[in-house]
Amino acid sequence: MTLYHCTLTLHDNLFFATREMGILYETEKYLHNWAISYALFKVDYIPQPYRLHGQAAQKPGYLDTNAEQNLLYLNQAGIYVFPAQPLNWSYQVNTFKAAQTTYYGKSKQFGDKGADRNYPINYGRAKELAVGSEYRTYIIAPDRVKIPRWIRLGKWAAKVRVDVIKIPDSVLSVQSGTYRCQHPLNPLDLTADTRLLLYNRIVMPPVSLISQAQLTGDYWQSKPEDWTSLRGQFPHLPESICLPRGAYYGASYVATA
């Protein structure tokens, strides 16, 4: 398996409703690894049904073996994508008018009861990640995996550029013990042998992420001298790498199911 360093650059505003506070719909600054995984590999590795019917059309199937479109196909292909860490980011707040349908609301005209001010009451504000925001993530995959140059993310299918750097095995060492991971992680994807000691929780659907985690288990660590030499060629790389080994989609879920 090979480790890839990826930089994601937003070329459109990126929106997904992490928190809904009244009329404000806020986007978390972190990017969920499950969303990135679908965006990167749904064409070549994850089946794409033409159309879903009934309950299957409304039920998420991330780790459901009965769902035609699930992340377990990437486990079979030996692919895993970590959550994305924000490097440079900013927000843009946009106001939109909410649509009216007969089954949940009644259209209000200007001057009508409940709409006595000079704008409609059926509106919302979306706090979106702005164009130019940059993110870092890592991919564990076979040597000849196909990683697209451009992907689409979020509710509005925002255009995102993907820049990939292949990390040589010679600059990484395998360690075991207690370590601190600066990169965000998905706790549901950590193996049963990995123990979480301390962490900050990032509340976001469908599964909350963690950051600044202290863990015990097997992990990859960059070799200082070799890594410094590699950073001379690729300045976008971080000062060091420390990532858990053996992560795969639903690792903790499968262990407890």
Side-chain angles (χ1 to χ4, degrees), residues 212-232:
Q212 303 294 323
Q214 185 177 354
L215 311 94
T216 298
D218 297 333
Y219 61 99
W220 283 294
Q221 187 174 29
S222 55
K223 299 177 182 178
E225 294 183 0
D226 296 332
W227 187 256
T228 301
S229 176
L230 184 64
R231 288 192 68 207

Side-chain angles (χ1 to χ4, degrees), residues 10-18 20 23-27 35 39 42 92-99 124-131 151-160:
L10 304 189
H11 282 240
D12 290 317
N13 283 0
L14 175 59
F15 170 72
F16 50 90
T18 306
E20 301 180 7
I23 62 171
L24 177 63
Y25 301 83
E26 185 176 10
T27 303
K42 64 182 178 181
Q92 179 176 324
V93 179
N94 293 321
T95 302
F96 60 89
K97 185 180 183 301
R125 289 193 173 98
K127 186 178 179 181
E128 306 172 352
L129 290 163
V131 174
I151 60 174
R152 296 280 183 176
L153 275 177
K155 296 287 186 181
W156 314 144
K159 189 175 183 180
V160 181

Side-chain angles (χ1 to χ4, degrees), residues 65-225:
T65 56
N66 296 321
E68 185 174 358
Q69 187 179 14
N70 63 67
L71 292 169
L72 303 180
Y73 288 100
L74 297 184
N75 289 341
Q76 299 174 9
I79 298 173
Y80 181 74
V81 182
F82 286 90
Q85 178 184 23
L87 301 178
N88 302 294
W89 74 97
S90 60
Y91 283 104
Q92 179 176 324
V93 179
N94 293 321
T95 302
F96 60 89
K97 185 180 183 301
Q100 288 297 319
T101 56
T102 56
Y103 62 83
Y104 75 82
K106 178 182 177 182
S107 179
K108 299 286 186 180
Q109 301 294 328
F110 290 122
D112 196 359
K113 183 178 180 180
D116 52 356
R117 288 174 289 181
N118 195 26
Y119 56 84
I121 65 172
N122 303 300
Y123 72 100
R125 289 193 173 98
K127 186 178 179 181
E128 306 172 352
L129 290 163
V131 174
S133 299
E134 293 182 340
Y135 288 81
R136 170 185 294 135
T137 189
Y138 299 95
I139 299 175
I140 302 172
D143 186 54
R144 296 184 179 180
V145 68
K146 182 181 178 181
I147 301 177
R149 174 66 170 171
W150 297 92
I151 60 174
R152 296 280 183 176
L153 275 177
K155 296 287 186 181
W156 314 144
K159 189 175 183 180
V160 181
R161 189 183 72 201
V162 183
D163 297 298
V164 181
I165 300 174
K166 183 178 179 181
I167 306 298
D169 294 338
S170 58
V171 304
L172 299 174
S173 63
V174 177
Q175 304 288 337
S176 182
T178 301
Y179 63 99
R180 184 175 180 180
C181 181
Q182 301 288 347
H183 195 80
L185 303 171
N186 187 334
L188 204 61
D189 296 340
L190 299 177
T191 62
D193 297 333
T194 300
R195 181 184 176 190
L196 282 169
L197 303 177
L198 296 171
Y199 58 89
N200 294 328
R201 187 180 180 189
I202 307 168
V203 180
M204 60 186 304
V207 178
S208 294
L209 306 179
I210 58 175
S211 66
Q212 303 294 323
Q214 185 177 354
L215 311 94
T216 298
D218 297 333
Y219 61 99
W220 283 294
Q221 187 174 29
S222 55
K223 299 177 182 178
E225 294 183 0

